[in-house]
């Protein structure tokens, strides 16, 4: 499954760092805008088949978050900035997404539909609540948004970064591969596993240190400080929640809880699907997304 080429570049500057976000826009110019947002440790690659199918009807925006996929981890802007502290936090990712979103120039009469997975859920919720990014609709798929979150391995790495940074590269990559395999209910194809692992390999763009850093900086407080405001999103924006019943990363009870918090119009639970529902149940997910978009654009 060949990924969509991210042909464009957007520069985002925080107080201490500069990030180059790789993105692209494809599809029907007259179609409704549709934005796909990935989480961690993924990239825009996970959306490839959906983007290609929906580009016949929608104008689609696709990107890699800073420090993920094709987007580099950033560079320091000040002498005191430490490259080991490049902002991979969920607050920082939301701020970067908001800046990219605003650069696309959406107007109130042509707001985008947004589909988000994993950390992309909290990124898009924070961007809406704290940074003024309005959406025509929001579809949240197995998202990080409700505390507590993080798999046991995720928390273990976050609490012991020096230990995991000292692990030999080959051993660490085997651990990451096993970690990726555990996200799916059905066995992933070898080519898919390789593609998901590639950015974090010794020869990849991100590497071992960046993989560990994004786990360390995924602090629960960045959900806690907006959880109480999720109802504001659903009060003005149609929201749908989709969840794999076999998600071992984020238990399925979070789906119902989140659905109530965001005043979701619909909560859909998908059988025989884990956290990577797009690979476990691609046809079912495609159908759910397509039906949702038809409903909110009619």
């Amino acid at each position: 499954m060949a990924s969509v080429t991210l042909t464009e570049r957007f520069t985002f500057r925080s107080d201490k760092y500069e990030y180059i976000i790789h993105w692209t826009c494809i599809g029907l110019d007259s179609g409704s805008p549709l934005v796909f947002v990935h989480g961690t440790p993924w990239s825009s690659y996970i959306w490839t088949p959906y983007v290609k199918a929906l580009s016949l009807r929608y104008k689609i925006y696709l990107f890699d978050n800073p420090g993920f996929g094709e987007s580099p981890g950033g560079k320091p802007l000040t002498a005191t900035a430490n490259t080991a502290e490049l902002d991979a936090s969920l607050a920082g990712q939301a701020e970067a997404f908001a800046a990219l979103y605003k650069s696309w120039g959406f107007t109130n009469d042509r707001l985008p539909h947004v589909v988000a997975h994993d950390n992309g859920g909290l990124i898009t919720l924070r961007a809406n609540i704290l940074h003024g990014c309005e959406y025509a609709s929001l579809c949240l798929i197995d998202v990080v948004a409700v505390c507590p979150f993080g798999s046991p391995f995720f928390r273990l790495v976050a609490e012991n970064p020096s230990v995991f940074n000292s692990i030999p590269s080959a051993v660490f990559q085997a651990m990451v591969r096993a970690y990726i395999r555990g996200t799916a209910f059905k066995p992933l194809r070898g080519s898919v596993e390789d593609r998901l692992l590639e950015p974090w390999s010794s020869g990849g763009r991100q590497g071992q240190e960046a993989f560990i850093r994004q786990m360390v900086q995924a602090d629960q407080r960045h959900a806690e400080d907006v959880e109480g405001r999720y109802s504001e999103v659903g009060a003005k924006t149609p929201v749908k929640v989709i969840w794999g019943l076999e998600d071992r990363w984020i238990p399925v009870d979070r789906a119902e809880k989140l659905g109530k918090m965001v005043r979701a119009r619909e909560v859909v639970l998908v059988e025989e699907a884990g956290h990577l529902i797009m690979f476990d149940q691609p046809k079912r997910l495609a159908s759910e997304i397509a039906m949702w978009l038809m409903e909110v654009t009619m």
Side-chain angles (χ1 to χ4, degrees):
M1 181 175 65
S3 58
V4 176
T5 302
L6 305 180
T7 57
E8 307 298 321
R9 307 290 181 268
F10 173 75
T11 300
F12 168 68
R13 292 182 178 88
S14 67
D15 293 339
K16 293 184 178 180
Y17 305 103
E18 176 182 278
Y19 303 91
I20 306 299
I21 302 174
H22 291 216
W23 67 280
T24 195
C25 180
I26 64 172
L28 191 66
D29 284 342
S30 61
S32 299
L34 172 59
V35 179
F36 282 92
V37 187
H38 71 83
T40 179
W42 322 115
S43 69
S44 58
Y45 167 76
I46 66 169
W47 298 122
T48 296
Y50 305 93
V51 167
K52 290 183 176 179
L54 291 168
S55 64
L56 299 175
R57 182 166 183 166
Y58 298 91
K59 186 172 184 178
I60 297 177
Y61 295 79
L62 193 66
F63 67 99
D64 283 346
N65 286 316
F68 294 82
E70 295 301 312
S71 296
K75 65 180 182 180
L77 294 175
T78 67
T80 58
N82 185 343
T83 55
E85 297 174 349
L86 285 169
D87 191 0
S89 74
L90 297 176
Q93 294 286 326
E95 186 180 357
F97 168 67
L100 175 64
Y101 172 100
K102 291 174 182 178
S103 77
W104 290 330
F106 299 121
T107 58
N108 288 335
D109 61 345
R110 192 172 166 78
L111 292 173
H113 302 279
V114 177
V115 178
H117 175 251
D118 192 85
N119 285 358
L122 186 54
I123 288 170
T124 53
L125 287 165
R126 286 184 67 94
N128 178 272
I129 295 167
L130 301 179
H131 302 292
C133 297
E134 301 294 341
Y135 316 133
S137 72
L138 181 60
C139 183
L140 301 172
I141 304 170
D142 289 83
V143 296
V144 170
V146 179
C147 293
F149 56 76
S151 68
F153 178 74
F154 190 104
R155 292 192 293 270
L156 184 64
V157 173
E159 293 167 3
N160 301 277
S162 61
V163 173
F164 284 90
N165 269 314
S166 67
I167 293 175
S169 176
V171 175
F172 185 80
Q173 287 177 48
M175 293 174 64
V176 176
R177 184 179 291 275
Y179 178 64
I180 289 171
R181 285 176 180 167
T183 63
F185 175 70
K186 300 176 181 179
L188 293 168
R189 294 198 309 272
S191 59
V192 172
E193 273 188 21
D194 291 343
R195 183 65 179 77
L196 294 173
L197 175 65
E198 191 277 331
W200 312 108
S201 67
S202 57
R205 182 181 291 274
Q206 312 305 341
Q208 181 171 337
E209 183 178 318
F211 182 90
I212 293 169
R213 182 171 60 243
Q214 49 92 15
M215 288 186 166
V216 171
Q217 295 191 1
D219 198 304
Q220 310 248 357
R221 73 179 186 276
H222 297 140
E224 292 170 348
D225 63 6
V226 290
E227 275 186 342
R229 299 183 61 185
Y230 286 170
S231 62
E232 297 175 22
V233 180
K236 60 185 176 181
T237 305
V239 180
K240 179 173 183 174
V241 175
I242 303 174
W243 220 272
L245 272 169
E246 309 299 333
D247 191 331
R248 292 189 289 269
W249 274 20
I250 312 177
V252 70
D253 66 328
R254 300 294 197 284
E256 295 292 349
K257 185 174 182 180
L258 176 62
K260 292 177 181 177
M261 295 171 76
V262 298
R263 301 184 183 182
R265 288 190 180 182
E266 185 179 12
V267 176
V268 175
L269 306 181
V270 180
E271 295 181 352
E272 297 188 356
H275 191 66
L276 282 182
I277 187 174
M278 59 283 299
F279 296 111
D280 282 328
Q281 294 288 355
K283 292 182 180 179
R284 174 66 188 280
L285 181 59
S287 176
E288 291 293 344
I289 293 174
M291 288 190 298
W292 171 245
L293 291 172
M294 289 179 64
E295 176 185 337
V296 294
T297 55
M298 289 180 63

